[in-house]
Amino acid sequence: MEKRRKTALIPVGIGMALAGGLVFAQMRSGSYGSTNAASIGQGAAPVFAPDAKYDVGAYPSFTPELAEGEGKLEVQSFCATCHSTRYITMQPPLPGATWEAEVAKMMKVYGAPVPEAAAKKITAYLQGHYAPENRKE
């Protein structure tokens, strides 16, 4: 019985070897894949308006300076530990309550090691320099 099973597997092995050889030969000749791959249709290129401006300029590689004021040192010391101060300067002008919530989120959710006294200074600084009523562009 064992010999019969081995004899039956020989043609299967030979068939698999032939199939593998054919696939390998096809790949070596470069004729694998779709026969019409070169004729895949492409959409027409978009038409650009002649009076439009498509250049937005280079991405700035410098970090913008924070506004001068009480609390700037704390912002640089504690906030820049985890992220660039660009995260502050690139925000739209945010209301004071939002800045307070952001500072609380950094401490509670992300675990920023900011003492409570420094957190109050940071919040006051952000509210005083990056809120809609006093943001200097």
Side-chain angles (χ1 to χ4, degrees):
M1 183 74 165
E2 186 67 28
K3 188 174 183 174
R4 187 182 250 174
R5 184 179 291 169
K6 285 182 183 178
T7 312
L9 288 178
I10 290 175
V12 172
I14 292 173
M16 288 177 68
L18 284 173
L22 288 173
V23 169
F24 182 72
Q26 200 176 23
M27 289 177 67
R28 296 267 312 187
S29 70
S31 63
Y32 56 92
S34 177
T35 57
N36 63 350
S39 63
I40 295 175
Q42 298 270 330
V47 178
F48 295 112
D51 60 342
K53 180 177 179 177
Y54 295 102
D55 181 29
V56 294
Y59 186 76
S61 61
F62 64 93
T63 302
E65 278 293 316
L66 291 172
E68 291 297 327
E70 182 72 27
K72 178 182 175 182
L73 183 61
E74 285 79 2
V75 168
Q76 289 174 322
S77 298
F78 292 105
C79 301
T81 302
C82 298
H83 60 76
S84 166
T85 55
R86 179 176 292 180
Y87 276 54
I88 296 166
T89 59
M90 74 179 184
Q91 297 297 322
L94 299 173
T98 305
W99 282 119
E100 190 173 349
E102 285 295 309
V103 172
K105 176 179 74 173
M106 296 298 162
M107 293 168 61
K108 292 182 178 123
V109 177
Y110 296 115
V114 181
E116 195 60 41
K120 287 181 182 179
K121 274 186 157 181
I122 291 169
T123 302
Y125 171 82
L126 295 172
Q127 290 170 338
H129 295 283
Y130 296 98
E133 56 273 3
N134 51 23
R135 177 84 181 249
K136 295 173 186 77
E137 296 294 328

